[in-house]
Amino acid sequence: MKHLIHCTVALFAGFLLASTAAGQAKPLAGADVAKIYERLLKQIDQIPIYDNHSHATFPDDSDMDAMTGPPDESSVLRLRDTNPEFAVGAKALFGYPYNDFTPEHAKWLVDKKKAAEAAGGTAYWTGILDKLNIETCLANRVALAPYLDPKRFHWVFFVDSFLFPFDNHAQMAKNGDMGVYIPLQEKVLQRYMKQQDVSGMPDDLAGYEAFVRQTLTDNQKKGGVAMKFEAAYFRSLYFRDPPREVAESIYAKYHADGVPSEDEYRTFQDYIFRVLIDQAGKLNIPVHFHSAVGIGDYFSLRNGNPLNLENVLRDPRYAKTKFVLIHGGYPYTLDMIWMTAAKNVYTDSSLMGYYVYPSELKNILKQWISLFPERMMFGSDAFPFGDAVGAEETFWLATRSARTSIAGALAELVSEGAFSETTALELARMYLHDNAAKLYGASK
Ligand SMILES: [Zn+2]
């Protein structure tokens, strides 16, 4: 009898082992992967998108960004207007009758967009979202445009200008990029001062801090759903933690005139940065960071690496602040997803979703979704690269790339035995819509 029990247990254990082995994920997808991909993509196309990051705009609107690209920057292959995908996008959106963007052909498209801009109203951009099944879209802008329906486009405002209140000649002289970027930051700061009825630089740091905090509060009241740092373009994303007295004496010394040393300016920025994210936590408004490669001739990859932010993201003082690291930290995408192990940190696939082709985006998304699927969001980074290839075509390119890439990543995982197709669709919904809807829904 004892022997029999022993045998039964052994048999049962053997059965368990066999069933575990059968259910364990395999390293290679099976022959069914293409069929699974087709089934998933059909469903994924039906998911309305929540776009975490865009620059929905006509190309000649100066409110579209707080900065601009310097003239000599080099573009990645896929974003050049020789990319035949853009003509396919223009066909899908507008019935563009050509297969290239030679100047004579591109005129057809430029005229169509100019006519839409002249016509006014919100129907044009709402129509673009409808065609691509985008439900809600965050728009990074200095101010929300009258041609964007605030029900569909939610405003993300820029805050870097608060880091540049002093004489900036030494900053601008650093390189050609800074010479273009910093005057624009000064303009945004002037605009915020006018908006807040602040006639000159406040007399002391307390006054400047009050101005900063009040501007954020008022921007949120005007519909702002997140604030954005493009700081990686101007300095390192590593922020030290200087005592207030030090920042106070720097402010006292330079708020009226005088050029601060590099270290003084940076120390002051490190302090004001912390005022900004503290206020974001109090207002429950997520903080966006450009954290990836960037345009320009002098962009520093090291400065933009998301790991620079680790001391801030893991600081218990900011546990209530929600951080969204835009552009997936690209090319540091594996570092990036591990930063989102913190419950208040999120990332999105914007920019990299059109820098690389879907075969590569699929691999990145496959790794992310296998680790922290609750923290990743879709972002288009739709941007007007020129008069012909506009934000409209980049919306198209980014949404098509993301839908096919996530379908490919999930099809492989299903075929490898990681989870069912039902789970796969649930994960796709989280990435394309639900994670963002939850984040910004909760922040209102
Ligand atoms: Zn962007």
Side-chain angles (χ1 to χ4, degrees), residues 252-327:
K253 207 166 151 192
Y254 297 108
H255 76 280
D257 53 28
V259 182
S261 72
E262 182 61 22
D263 192 56
E264 284 172 319
Y265 216 147
R266 189 153 166 218
T267 303
F268 180 78
Q269 291 182 339
D270 290 344
Y271 177 79
I272 284 297
F273 167 80
R274 285 163 185 278
V275 172
L276 284 158
I277 59 172
D278 175 73
Q279 184 69 0
K282 290 193 166 102
L283 296 171
N284 195 18
I285 187 165
V287 183
H288 287 198
F289 289 95
H290 176 102
S291 55
V293 293
I295 55 172
D297 297 319
Y298 299 94
F299 186 85
S300 161
L301 271 174
R302 186 188 296 263
N303 283 353
N305 187 321
L307 286 180
N308 285 311
L309 285 164
E310 199 168 31
N311 64 322
V312 170
L313 306 181
R314 291 292 196 175
D315 187 329
R317 286 176 294 173
Y318 312 121
K320 283 207 177 119
T321 304
K322 305 270 194 340
F323 297 102
V324 185
L325 275 57
I326 305 288
H327 312 318

Side-chain angles (χ1 to χ4, degrees), residues 53 55 228 327 381:
H53 179 77
H55 307 264
K228 164 97 183 283
H327 312 318
D381 207 358

